[in-house]
Amino acid sequence: MAKWGEGDPRWIVEERADATNVNNWHWTERDATNWSSDKLKSLLLGLTVENEEGACEVTEVGKVEGEASINNRKGKLIFFYEWTLKATWTGTSKSGIVYKGSIDVPNLSDENDMDDLDINVTMNKDEPETPLLALMRSTGADRLRAALGSYLGLLKTEFTQGMILPTANGVSKPQSSQSKTNLDKTQISSGSTAPPPNTGVKIPTCKFSMRETFLTSPAELYRVFLNQEMVQAFTHAQATVEPEKGGRFRLLDGNVLGEFTELVPDERLVMRWRYNTWPCEHYATISLTLSDRASETELKAEFRGVPTNEEERTRQGWQRYYFEAIKQTFGFGARLY
């Protein structure tokens, strides 16, 4: 039985001995510590920023200390996490001079809003002064905050699969990977997820192009499309991504499917792409070309073979759930002065 009053969060942990917790219908708990440690390292390691002075990269995540868990108290998920992070960043000026520094995040926890998160960026002792420190303290800190924010999103979507959540009539059921966020994505997943039968009728198709500018390097933007954790972060859903030519991807709980047919690192991606509601085996060809524009990257997307009656839906879906979502998740849309 519990040792504390029911108002104390520790009540949830001690209640495991309560005989009313039959089949975990009233309470479940998961330890997310090991999963979180690995996820935090993968999201931070290799993160880069650059401007006209040079480029900086997180080259080592040396300390990830803390814990995380998820408790389900009668259908309500309660998240506990508290982390202290230390990392190393390396800056390289345009003239080739290399600098070293440290990153300290002392208070990543459920008690602090992401806007209140302290990210302390410093130079190593005896390192000379460099404008790259200002870059890391501004754009770099913004990217770090976005990456840590994506960890919270993945903790609440990816890791919670199978935990018990309440239904509309009050009866609990296991959580599926499709969160409320995905249910709202009517443009991506409208209608049944089962593909319609192939009628054998030729489909009228169209072609069009879109352009978008991102405040990041081509290398970092290229990585966003191929790194599975980053894809899950900006789509807020489970994804499978095989980052190689011929590799397949499955996004938004299977509502978007495809295959990479051409990959030119940091420059170009070509894919066969489809909504699951399109006629069986019909794919559009989408080419993404990344062009370096000083401190920005211009992305040109060319679409071929899109069903004519799906043009507007495809345009709006890419604008909202790719371009805008990537900017908001990773901080690629707001210039910092």
Side-chain angles (χ1 to χ4, degrees), residues 179-246:
S179 64
K180 182 180 183 301
T181 301
N182 297 330
L183 293 175
D184 291 338
K185 295 179 179 179
T186 55
Q187 289 175 311
I188 291 288
S189 57
S190 61
S192 171
T193 58
N198 190 343
T199 61
V201 179
K202 186 175 180 180
I203 304 170
T205 63
C206 64
K207 61 180 181 180
F208 59 90
S209 63
M210 301 175 68
R211 291 179 182 270
E212 195 72 21
T213 300
F214 298 82
L215 298 179
T216 187
S217 66
E220 186 69 12
L221 185 58
Y222 180 86
R223 180 169 172 251
V224 167
F225 287 100
L226 294 176
N227 181 283
Q228 182 168 300
E229 285 78 13
M230 298 180 82
V231 172
Q232 290 179 148
F234 77 76
T235 60
H236 303 290
Q238 276 285 85
T240 300
V241 181
E242 299 172 353
E244 59 187 9
K245 183 178 180 179

Side-chain angles (χ1 to χ4, degrees), residues 138-184:
S138 56
T139 308
D142 189 60
R143 301 277 171 82
L144 290 164
R145 185 172 281 104
L148 295 173
S150 68
Y151 154 71
L152 303 184
L154 293 170
L155 179 65
K156 294 178 180 181
T157 55
E158 177 182 311
F159 189 80
T160 56
Q161 292 183 58
M163 298 194 74
I164 300 169
L165 290 178
T167 60
N169 61 8
V171 178
S172 297
K173 68 178 182 178
Q175 182 188 18
S176 70
S177 60
Q178 187 171 17
S179 64
K180 182 180 183 301
T181 301
N182 297 330
L183 293 175
D184 291 338

Side-chain angles (χ1 to χ4, degrees), residues 25 41 109 124 135 162 181 205 216 304 332 336:
W25 284 100
K41 289 179 181 178
S109 82
N124 288 355
L135 172 65
T181 301
T205 63
T216 187
R304 296 178 180 273
F332 294 169
L336 300 177

Side-chain angles (χ1 to χ4, degrees), residues 252-290:
L252 296 163
D253 299 317
N255 289 295
V256 169
L257 309 167
E259 175 186 357
F260 297 112
T261 59
E262 180 184 348
L263 294 175
V264 181
D266 308 340
E267 295 181 9
R268 179 176 170 83
L269 304 91
V270 182
M271 65 189 82
R272 297 173 68 239
W273 187 98
R274 71 188 304 270
Y275 284 121
N276 197 33
T277 51
W278 288 1
C280 290
E281 296 306 313
H282 180 83
Y283 288 82
T285 298
I286 301 178
S287 304
L288 305 180
T289 303
L290 313 180

Side-chain angles (χ1 to χ4, degrees), residues 1-32:
M1 298 296 292
K3 300 177 181 177
W4 304 282
E6 189 167 357
D8 195 304
R10 290 170 290 182
W11 169 271
I12 299 172
V13 177
E14 287 297 307
E15 191 178 310
R16 71 177 68 198
D18 195 324
T20 63
N21 186 28
V22 179
N23 296 324
N24 284 337
W25 284 100
H26 295 284
W27 171 87
T28 54
E29 179 187 31
R30 278 188 180 179
D31 184 354

